[in-house]
PDB file of all heavy atoms in Angstrom:
ATOM      1  N   ALA A  68      13.637 -40.818   1.724  1.00 84.00           N
ATOM      2  CA  ALA A  68      13.976 -40.330   3.017  1.00 84.00           C
ATOM      3  C   ALA A  68      13.142 -39.150   3.497  1.00 84.00           C
ATOM      4  O   ALA A  68      12.742 -39.054   4.654  1.00 84.00           O
ATOM      5  CB  ALA A  68      15.473 -39.945   3.014  1.00 84.00           C
ATOM      6  N   LEU A  75       5.064 -38.531   4.847  1.00 78.00           N
ATOM      7  CA  LEU A  75       4.393 -38.567   3.585  1.00 78.00           C
ATOM      8  C   LEU A  75       4.199 -40.013   3.096  1.00 78.00           C
ATOM      9  O   LEU A  75       3.473 -40.231   2.095  1.00 78.00           O
ATOM     10  CB  LEU A  75       5.037 -37.722   2.592  1.00 78.00           C
ATOM     11  CG  LEU A  75       5.148 -36.211   2.894  1.00 78.00           C
ATOM     12  CD1 LEU A  75       5.991 -35.511   1.866  1.00 78.00           C
ATOM     13  CD2 LEU A  75       3.787 -35.603   2.983  1.00 78.00           C
ATOM     14  N   PHE A  80      -5.209 -40.685   5.176  1.00 88.00           N
ATOM     15  CA  PHE A  80      -6.070 -40.323   6.385  1.00 88.00           C
ATOM     16  C   PHE A  80      -5.133 -40.228   7.626  1.00 88.00           C
ATOM     17  O   PHE A  80      -5.445 -39.433   8.513  1.00 88.00           O
ATOM     18  CB  PHE A  80      -7.003 -41.490   6.576  1.00 88.00           C
ATOM     19  CG  PHE A  80      -8.057 -41.231   7.622  1.00 88.00           C
ATOM     20  CD1 PHE A  80      -8.937 -40.194   7.477  1.00 88.00           C
ATOM     21  CD2 PHE A  80      -8.031 -41.898   8.864  1.00 88.00           C
ATOM     22  CE1 PHE A  80      -9.915 -39.912   8.496  1.00 88.00           C
ATOM     23  CE2 PHE A  80      -8.926 -41.577   9.861  1.00 88.00           C
ATOM     24  CZ  PHE A  80      -9.863 -40.617   9.698  1.00 88.00           C
ATOM     25  N   MET A 103      11.128 -23.683   7.086  1.00 84.00           N
ATOM     26  CA  MET A 103      11.010 -22.820   8.285  1.00 84.00           C
ATOM     27  C   MET A 103       9.635 -22.928   8.892  1.00 84.00           C
ATOM     28  O   MET A 103       8.700 -23.462   8.264  1.00 84.00           O
ATOM     29  CB  MET A 103      11.310 -21.311   7.932  1.00 84.00           C
ATOM     30  CG  MET A 103      10.293 -20.731   6.936  1.00 84.00           C
ATOM     31  SD  MET A 103      10.574 -19.037   6.546  1.00 84.00           S
ATOM     32  CE  MET A 103      10.350 -18.217   8.127  1.00 84.00           C
ATOM     33  N   SER A 138     -27.475   9.426  -5.326  1.00 76.00           N
ATOM     34  CA  SER A 138     -28.430   8.901  -6.303  1.00 76.00           C
ATOM     35  C   SER A 138     -29.833   8.974  -5.713  1.00 76.00           C
ATOM     36  O   SER A 138     -30.870   9.141  -6.436  1.00 76.00           O
ATOM     37  CB  SER A 138     -28.139   7.432  -6.618  1.00 76.00           C
ATOM     38  OG  SER A 138     -28.145   6.608  -5.439  1.00 76.00           O
ATOM     39  N   GLY A 142     -33.178  12.308  -7.816  1.00 70.00           N
ATOM     40  CA  GLY A 142     -34.293  11.919  -8.553  1.00 70.00           C
ATOM     41  C   GLY A 142     -34.115  10.715  -9.414  1.00 70.00           C
ATOM     42  O   GLY A 142     -33.203   9.915  -9.206  1.00 70.00           O
ATOM     43  N   VAL A 144     -33.276  10.243 -12.573  1.00 78.00           N
ATOM     44  CA  VAL A 144     -32.081  10.191 -13.370  1.00 78.00           C
ATOM     45  C   VAL A 144     -30.844   9.795 -12.502  1.00 78.00           C
ATOM     46  O   VAL A 144     -30.061   8.931 -12.925  1.00 78.00           O
ATOM     47  CB  VAL A 144     -31.807  11.520 -14.059  1.00 78.00           C
ATOM     48  CG1 VAL A 144     -30.444  11.602 -14.752  1.00 78.00           C
ATOM     49  CG2 VAL A 144     -32.961  11.914 -15.008  1.00 78.00           C
ATOM     50  N   MET A 147     -31.042   6.052 -11.806  1.00 83.00           N
ATOM     51  CA  MET A 147     -30.590   5.239 -12.943  1.00 83.00           C
ATOM     52  C   MET A 147     -29.080   5.255 -13.092  1.00 83.00           C
ATOM     53  O   MET A 147     -28.473   4.261 -13.334  1.00 83.00           O
ATOM     54  CB  MET A 147     -31.265   5.700 -14.208  1.00 83.00           C
ATOM     55  CG  MET A 147     -32.816   5.577 -14.234  1.00 83.00           C
ATOM     56  SD  MET A 147     -33.590   6.191 -15.669  1.00 83.00           S
ATOM     57  CE  MET A 147     -32.822   5.255 -16.966  1.00 83.00           C
ATOM     58  N   PHE A 162      -8.372  -8.460 -11.883  1.00 89.00           N
ATOM     59  CA  PHE A 162      -7.182  -8.454 -12.678  1.00 89.00           C
ATOM     60  C   PHE A 162      -7.360  -7.384 -13.824  1.00 89.00           C
ATOM     61  O   PHE A 162      -6.343  -6.766 -14.199  1.00 89.00           O
ATOM     62  CB  PHE A 162      -6.890  -9.853 -13.263  1.00 89.00           C
ATOM     63  CG  PHE A 162      -7.969 -10.349 -14.248  1.00 89.00           C
ATOM     64  CD1 PHE A 162      -7.820 -10.045 -15.597  1.00 89.00           C
ATOM     65  CD2 PHE A 162      -9.030 -11.080 -13.817  1.00 89.00           C
ATOM     66  CE1 PHE A 162      -8.749 -10.490 -16.511  1.00 89.00           C
ATOM     67  CE2 PHE A 162      -9.965 -11.539 -14.698  1.00 89.00           C
ATOM     68  CZ  PHE A 162      -9.878 -11.226 -16.077  1.00 89.00           C
ATOM     69  N   LEU A 164      -9.299  -4.633 -13.676  1.00 93.00           N
ATOM     70  CA  LEU A 164      -9.280  -3.266 -13.084  1.00 93.00           C
ATOM     71  C   LEU A 164      -7.887  -2.837 -12.758  1.00 93.00           C
ATOM     72  O   LEU A 164      -7.417  -1.743 -12.958  1.00 93.00           O
ATOM     73  CB  LEU A 164     -10.253  -3.347 -11.909  1.00 93.00           C
ATOM     74  CG  LEU A 164     -10.353  -1.972 -11.142  1.00 93.00           C
ATOM     75  CD1 LEU A 164     -10.834  -0.830 -12.113  1.00 93.00           C
ATOM     76  CD2 LEU A 164     -11.285  -2.109  -9.941  1.00 93.00           C
ATOM     77  N   SER A 173      -0.098   4.870 -14.174  1.00 90.00           N
ATOM     78  CA  SER A 173       1.367   4.717 -14.188  1.00 90.00           C
ATOM     79  C   SER A 173       1.932   4.868 -15.579  1.00 90.00           C
ATOM     80  O   SER A 173       2.904   5.672 -15.725  1.00 90.00           O
ATOM     81  CB  SER A 173       1.744   3.237 -13.724  1.00 90.00           C
ATOM     82  OG  SER A 173       1.227   3.008 -12.424  1.00 90.00           O
ATOM     83  N   SER A 174       1.334   4.304 -16.649  1.00 89.00           N
ATOM     84  CA  SER A 174       1.908   4.373 -17.943  1.00 89.00           C
ATOM     85  C   SER A 174       1.603   5.720 -18.566  1.00 89.00           C
ATOM     86  O   SER A 174       2.488   6.489 -19.148  1.00 89.00           O
ATOM     87  CB  SER A 174       1.398   3.286 -18.902  1.00 89.00           C
ATOM     88  OG  SER A 174       1.781   1.989 -18.312  1.00 89.00           O
ATOM     89  N   LEU A 214     -33.786   4.249   0.250  1.00 70.00           N
ATOM     90  CA  LEU A 214     -35.031   4.477  -0.352  1.00 70.00           C
ATOM     91  C   LEU A 214     -36.163   3.940   0.622  1.00 70.00           C
ATOM     92  O   LEU A 214     -37.207   4.594   0.698  1.00 70.00           O
ATOM     93  CB  LEU A 214     -35.100   3.876  -1.670  1.00 70.00           C
ATOM     94  CG  LEU A 214     -34.278   4.525  -2.798  1.00 70.00           C
ATOM     95  CD1 LEU A 214     -34.343   3.687  -4.107  1.00 70.00           C
ATOM     96  CD2 LEU A 214     -34.708   5.966  -3.023  1.00 70.00           C
ATOM     97  N   ALA A 225     -40.107  12.281  12.267  1.00 65.00           N
ATOM     98  CA  ALA A 225     -39.053  13.173  12.451  1.00 65.00           C
ATOM     99  C   ALA A 225     -39.258  14.508  11.725  1.00 65.00           C
ATOM    100  O   ALA A 225     -38.960  15.602  12.282  1.00 65.00           O
ATOM    101  CB  ALA A 225     -37.728  12.564  12.002  1.00 65.00           C
ATOM    102  N   ARG A 242     -28.591   5.849   9.640  1.00 68.00           N
ATOM    103  CA  ARG A 242     -28.390   4.817  10.669  1.00 68.00           C
ATOM    104  C   ARG A 242     -29.213   3.574  10.324  1.00 68.00           C
ATOM    105  O   ARG A 242     -28.747   2.460  10.434  1.00 68.00           O
ATOM    106  CB  ARG A 242     -28.868   5.336  12.041  1.00 68.00           C
ATOM    107  CG  ARG A 242     -28.644   4.394  13.135  1.00 68.00           C
ATOM    108  CD  ARG A 242     -29.039   4.996  14.453  1.00 68.00           C
ATOM    109  NE  ARG A 242     -28.781   4.100  15.621  1.00 68.00           N
ATOM    110  CZ  ARG A 242     -29.039   4.452  16.832  1.00 68.00           C
ATOM    111  NH1 ARG A 242     -29.424   5.649  17.134  1.00 68.00           N
ATOM    112  NH2 ARG A 242     -28.812   3.554  17.817  1.00 68.00           N
ATOM    113  N   VAL A 249     -23.557  -3.050   7.031  1.00 74.00           N
ATOM    114  CA  VAL A 249     -22.785  -3.455   8.168  1.00 74.00           C
ATOM    115  C   VAL A 249     -22.738  -4.948   8.299  1.00 74.00           C
ATOM    116  O   VAL A 249     -21.687  -5.554   8.540  1.00 74.00           O
ATOM    117  CB  VAL A 249     -23.223  -2.741   9.567  1.00 74.00           C
ATOM    118  CG1 VAL A 249     -22.490  -3.443  10.688  1.00 74.00           C
ATOM    119  CG2 VAL A 249     -22.970  -1.260   9.496  1.00 74.00           C
ATOM    120  N   ILE A 260      -9.963 -10.452   1.195  1.00 83.00           N
ATOM    121  CA  ILE A 260      -8.832 -11.363   1.398  1.00 83.00           C
ATOM    122  C   ILE A 260      -8.632 -12.216   0.138  1.00 83.00           C
ATOM    123  O   ILE A 260      -7.527 -12.476  -0.252  1.00 83.00           O
ATOM    124  CB  ILE A 260      -9.050 -12.201   2.615  1.00 83.00           C
ATOM    125  CG1 ILE A 260      -9.075 -11.324   3.871  1.00 83.00           C
ATOM    126  CG2 ILE A 260      -7.940 -13.226   2.772  1.00 83.00           C
ATOM    127  CD1 ILE A 260      -7.798 -10.585   4.168  1.00 83.00           C
ATOM    128  N   GLU A 267      -2.237  -8.700  -4.907  1.00 88.00           N
ATOM    129  CA  GLU A 267      -0.830  -8.742  -4.438  1.00 88.00           C
ATOM    130  C   GLU A 267       0.097  -9.342  -5.491  1.00 88.00           C
ATOM    131  O   GLU A 267       1.290  -8.934  -5.574  1.00 88.00           O
ATOM    132  CB  GLU A 267      -0.691  -9.572  -3.121  1.00 88.00           C
ATOM    133  CG  GLU A 267      -1.376  -8.838  -1.934  1.00 88.00           C
ATOM    134  CD  GLU A 267      -1.376  -9.679  -0.696  1.00 88.00           C
ATOM    135  OE1 GLU A 267      -0.976 -10.863  -0.766  1.00 88.00           O
ATOM    136  OE2 GLU A 267      -1.778  -9.158   0.338  1.00 88.00           O
ATOM    137  N   PRO A 273       4.049  -7.850  -1.027  1.00 86.00           N
ATOM    138  CA  PRO A 273       4.156  -8.913  -0.101  1.00 86.00           C
ATOM    139  C   PRO A 273       2.894  -9.026   0.757  1.00 86.00           C
ATOM    140  O   PRO A 273       2.247  -8.014   1.084  1.00 86.00           O
ATOM    141  CB  PRO A 273       5.360  -8.559   0.764  1.00 86.00           C
ATOM    142  CG  PRO A 273       5.488  -7.072   0.619  1.00 86.00           C
ATOM    143  CD  PRO A 273       4.976  -6.764  -0.779  1.00 86.00           C
ATOM    144  N   ASN A 281       2.042 -18.907  -3.944  1.00 83.00           N
ATOM    145  CA  ASN A 281       3.345 -19.640  -4.167  1.00 83.00           C
ATOM    146  C   ASN A 281       3.270 -20.957  -3.456  1.00 83.00           C
ATOM    147  O   ASN A 281       3.840 -21.987  -3.964  1.00 83.00           O
ATOM    148  CB  ASN A 281       4.454 -18.826  -3.482  1.00 83.00           C
ATOM    149  CG  ASN A 281       4.757 -17.520  -4.271  1.00 83.00           C
ATOM    150  OD1 ASN A 281       4.391 -17.465  -5.463  1.00 83.00           O
ATOM    151  ND2 ASN A 281       5.230 -16.480  -3.645  1.00 83.00           N
ATOM    152  N   VAL A 285       3.707 -24.974  -5.273  1.00 77.00           N
ATOM    153  CA  VAL A 285       4.693 -26.028  -4.928  1.00 77.00           C
ATOM    154  C   VAL A 285       4.081 -27.074  -4.026  1.00 77.00           C
ATOM    155  O   VAL A 285       4.916 -27.845  -3.416  1.00 77.00           O
ATOM    156  CB  VAL A 285       5.982 -25.397  -4.386  1.00 77.00           C
ATOM    157  CG1 VAL A 285       6.662 -24.394  -5.337  1.00 77.00           C
ATOM    158  CG2 VAL A 285       5.649 -24.663  -3.072  1.00 77.00           C
ATOM    159  N   ILE A 297      -5.326 -18.783   9.305  1.00 86.00           N
ATOM    160  CA  ILE A 297      -5.215 -17.370   9.802  1.00 86.00           C
ATOM    161  C   ILE A 297      -6.273 -16.469   9.197  1.00 86.00           C
ATOM    162  O   ILE A 297      -6.898 -15.661   9.865  1.00 86.00           O
ATOM    163  CB  ILE A 297      -3.783 -16.842   9.527  1.00 86.00           C
ATOM    164  CG1 ILE A 297      -2.734 -17.640  10.301  1.00 86.00           C
ATOM    165  CG2 ILE A 297      -3.724 -15.333   9.762  1.00 86.00           C
ATOM    166  CD1 ILE A 297      -2.893 -17.468  11.824  1.00 86.00           C
ATOM    167  N   VAL A 298      -6.506 -16.667   7.929  1.00 84.00           N
ATOM    168  CA  VAL A 298      -7.613 -15.879   7.254  1.00 84.00           C
ATOM    169  C   VAL A 298      -8.929 -16.201   7.907  1.00 84.00           C
ATOM    170  O   VAL A 298      -9.810 -15.334   8.063  1.00 84.00           O
ATOM    171  CB  VAL A 298      -7.545 -16.144   5.687  1.00 84.00           C
ATOM    172  CG1 VAL A 298      -8.785 -15.503   5.095  1.00 84.00           C
ATOM    173  CG2 VAL A 298      -6.286 -15.600   5.108  1.00 84.00           C
ATOM    174  N   ASP A 310     -21.241  -8.164  13.887  1.00 75.00           N
ATOM    175  CA  ASP A 310     -22.450  -8.531  14.706  1.00 75.00           C
ATOM    176  C   ASP A 310     -22.624  -7.554  15.841  1.00 75.00           C
ATOM    177  O   ASP A 310     -23.798  -7.029  16.145  1.00 75.00           O
ATOM    178  CB  ASP A 310     -22.355  -9.897  15.147  1.00 75.00           C
ATOM    179  CG  ASP A 310     -23.626 -10.401  15.884  1.00 75.00           C
ATOM    180  OD1 ASP A 310     -24.714  -9.986  15.562  1.00 75.00           O
ATOM    181  OD2 ASP A 310     -23.471 -11.202  16.892  1.00 75.00           O
ATOM    182  N   LEU A 320     -32.050  -5.297  17.991  1.00 53.00           N
ATOM    183  CA  LEU A 320     -31.172  -6.489  18.097  1.00 53.00           C
ATOM    184  C   LEU A 320     -30.643  -6.556  19.498  1.00 53.00           C
ATOM    185  O   LEU A 320     -30.478  -7.679  20.054  1.00 53.00           O
ATOM    186  CB  LEU A 320     -29.999  -6.319  17.099  1.00 53.00           C
ATOM    187  CG  LEU A 320     -30.379  -6.292  15.683  1.00 53.00           C
ATOM    188  CD1 LEU A 320     -29.117  -6.145  14.763  1.00 53.00           C
ATOM    189  CD2 LEU A 320     -31.089  -7.657  15.273  1.00 53.00           C
TER     190      LEU A 320
END
Side-chain angles (χ1 to χ4, degrees):
L75 299 175
F80 187 69
M103 63 179 296
S138 62
V144 175
M147 294 175 63
F162 68 88
L164 182 57
S173 299
S174 300
L214 291 174
R242 183 176 181 178
V249 169
I260 294 295
E267 289 176 355
N281 295 334
V285 299
I297 293 297
V298 171
D310 183 35
L320 296 178

